Amino acid sequence: MKLYYQFPGTWFGDCMPFGKGDRFFLFHQRDTRNPGPFGEPFGWSLATTKDFVHYKDCGTAIPRGDDAAQDQFIYAGSVFEGEGQYHAFYTGYNRDFQAQGKPSQVLMHAVSDDLYHWKKTEDKLTFVPQDGYDPDDWRDPWVIRDDEHNQYLLILGARKIGPKSRQTGRTVKFTSKDLKNWKFEGDFWAPDLFTMHEMPDLFKMGDWWYHIVTEYSDKHGMVYRMAKSLEGPWIKPADDAFDGSGYYAGRTFETNGKRVLFGWVGTKENNDDAKNYEWGGTFVPHEVYQREDGTLGCRPVDTLWAAFNRREPIAGTDIVAPYKRVNKVLARDCGDLFSFEADVSFEPGTRQFGLRLFENEETGRSYQFDFKVDENRFIFEGSPNYEWFNVMNIGLERPIGLEAGKKYHIQVVVDDTIATLYVNGVALNARMYCHHGDSLSMFVTDGTVHLANISIARGIKEG
């Protein structure tokens, strides 16, 4: 049994989350990879969950149109409740239209009374591409209620007309009183940092507004900005990401006080560690929480973490390695579905420490999360990185302040080929396609680490 969600025979694409009561609704795309990503057109499928462990498949929610229709593919959008109904605003994409001189991406609309059965309205929506914007990069609408101005606010990802080497990506905005007639209000956030803004998200938590976009021209990932008002200014936190380049296109939704980020971990071409990540993969949730300074952190969803079998304690230990590296095995026979946690601190002068997964004790091969103390960051990589190179890990790193004497609470979830690490609110996902061995260890280079409150849980509970 696996933990992270991926419908059999398909790859999980962009998610349009919604929550009602104690249930989350995952509207998403299922790519058949026939013959590759985006090979066969898709609509929106639906799965629901209460605990992010058990999922109910609800089949197709909004079917795609035929090959001559605007919605040959149904790209991303959002689900929203208002004016007495549920609304899906989505992107209809036809891959043949651009060559015919017609807009390939048009925003469309469907309604539902129960979230399961949807009717396309065929309404001629008024949030069409505006002059000066690229009509073939105009997608992923997101709707919220703006109570301060007694209106609805719709944002979407766009870019200016011009070559994609020009980083003119922006989020634009429309307003409406009735969810039918929309007024263009110009750019919402236009930093000229990225080629395109995809999957925009906007929500308020406490006193802060947060705006999330996914970009693919800088670090191929998700970034966010924060502001005390919808008018901005939009401030960049020191760490403006949620994960690395292996985690993509996430959106959030909150219900019962829990805000969850719904993103996916991409597969790699030919299931090869050394190849590039590709579109679509496996759904992995993060719970998003607000720190005291207003910045956002990620942690495991509590019900997902609690789904593992009984935690087996491991005795605390110190690893001492002056002027060299020492590696210590903490658990064997881990399997390919387990969770691990430990509190880690290190002595002044320590240069490096890390965690190794799928370790083969005879050959020394493993994957590792490597904490580089002097650089205030950690990375995912193969160990040893020989033959050069055996893991393509561009973007598989995260910044983190590393201070001697401070406690770092490390939590890891391994599910088949996916490794998810959390440490003090910082998350990183990666793929691991070679099961070198079954041991888990930690190491230190030129210093000393103290390990406490260590445990491992293998497999998840039945039922």
Side-chain angles (χ1 to χ4, degrees), residues 92-348:
Y93 169 70
N94 190 304
R95 60 185 167 195
D96 304 316
F97 278 10
Q98 188 173 9
Q100 300 172 18
K102 296 187 287 187
S104 64
Q105 298 182 15
V106 172
L107 302 187
M108 306 178 77
H109 182 217
V111 294
S112 173
D113 294 322
D114 61 4
L115 289 169
Y116 296 95
H117 305 91
W118 292 85
K119 179 182 179 182
K120 299 177 183 179
T121 64
E122 308 297 337
D123 291 347
K124 187 173 180 58
L125 298 175
T126 55
F127 41 93
V128 298
Q130 302 294 298
D131 290 343
Y133 294 86
D134 189 332
D136 296 309
D137 276 317
W138 185 266
R139 58 182 176 271
D140 307 345
W142 179 261
V143 181
I144 67 166
R145 178 69 186 174
D146 178 7
D147 291 324
E148 182 180 349
H149 300 98
N150 191 31
Q151 62 186 3
Y152 298 102
L153 174 65
L154 181 147
I155 60 173
L156 58 92
R159 65 182 309 276
K160 291 288 191 179
I161 290 177
K164 291 197 174 183
S165 57
R166 298 289 301 273
Q167 293 177 307
T168 62
R170 56 241 296 120
T171 307
V172 300
K173 62 179 178 178
F174 291 79
T175 58
S176 174
K177 295 293 186 181
D178 57 8
L179 294 176
K180 294 180 180 179
N181 300 290
W182 296 90
K183 178 184 177 183
F184 183 57
E185 303 281 4
D187 290 337
F188 179 77
W189 182 51
D192 291 329
L193 290 170
F194 314 115
T195 292
M196 177 66 182
H197 291 189
E198 293 191 309
M199 298 292 283
D201 188 351
L202 183 63
F203 63 90
K204 191 176 186 183
M205 186 182 290
D207 295 331
W208 289 95
W209 283 96
Y210 299 92
H211 178 40
I212 302 172
V213 301
T214 299
E215 59 81 21
Y216 53 73
S217 60
D218 182 28
K219 293 185 177 180
H220 187 273
M222 300 177 59
V223 299
Y224 78 94
R225 296 294 186 267
M226 47 196 292
K228 287 294 183 72
S229 164
L230 283 171
E231 282 69 47
W234 293 98
I235 302 166
K236 178 189 180 299
D239 176 11
D240 67 345
F242 297 96
D243 206 308
S245 61
Y247 188 84
Y248 203 71
R251 272 182 164 160
T252 72
F253 205 91
E254 179 181 352
T255 187
N256 289 333
K258 179 188 297 183
R259 183 167 290 275
V260 176
L261 178 61
F262 296 73
W264 47 264
V265 175
T267 51
K268 284 189 171 183
E269 297 167 358
N270 301 320
N271 295 334
D272 185 339
D273 283 330
K275 296 293 181 64
N276 288 323
Y277 280 94
E278 54 194 349
W279 189 89
T282 308
F283 167 63
V284 174
H286 293 313
E287 183 177 348
V288 176
Y289 69 94
Q290 187 181 56
R291 300 186 179 99
E292 289 186 4
D293 63 0
T295 61
L296 298 176
C298 291
R299 59 192 174 203
V301 175
D302 55 359
T303 51
L304 184 149
W305 185 260
F308 283 91
N309 288 321
R310 182 183 65 84
R311 306 208 65 79
E312 303 169 24
I314 299 171
T317 188
D318 298 335
I319 307 177
V320 182
Y323 313 115
K324 64 177 182 178
R325 175 181 295 156
V326 170
N327 184 64
K328 185 168 186 176
V329 174
L330 300 177
R332 294 183 170 92
D333 301 318
C334 297
D336 62 1
L337 179 56
F338 65 89
S339 64
F340 170 84
E341 67 178 337
D343 290 331
V344 181
S345 61
F346 59 89
E347 294 291 330

Side-chain angles (χ1 to χ4, degrees), residues 69-112:
Q70 177 66 60
D71 58 354
Q72 177 190 41
F73 289 77
I74 298 186
Y75 275 4
S78 63
V79 175
F80 181 77
E81 185 177 6
E83 304 298 313
Q85 280 187 308
Y86 299 106
H87 300 260
F89 295 95
Y90 61 91
T91 309
Y93 169 70
N94 190 304
R95 60 185 167 195
D96 304 316
F97 278 10
Q98 188 173 9
Q100 300 172 18
K102 296 187 287 187
S104 64
Q105 298 182 15
V106 172
L107 302 187
M108 306 178 77
H109 182 217
V111 294
S112 173

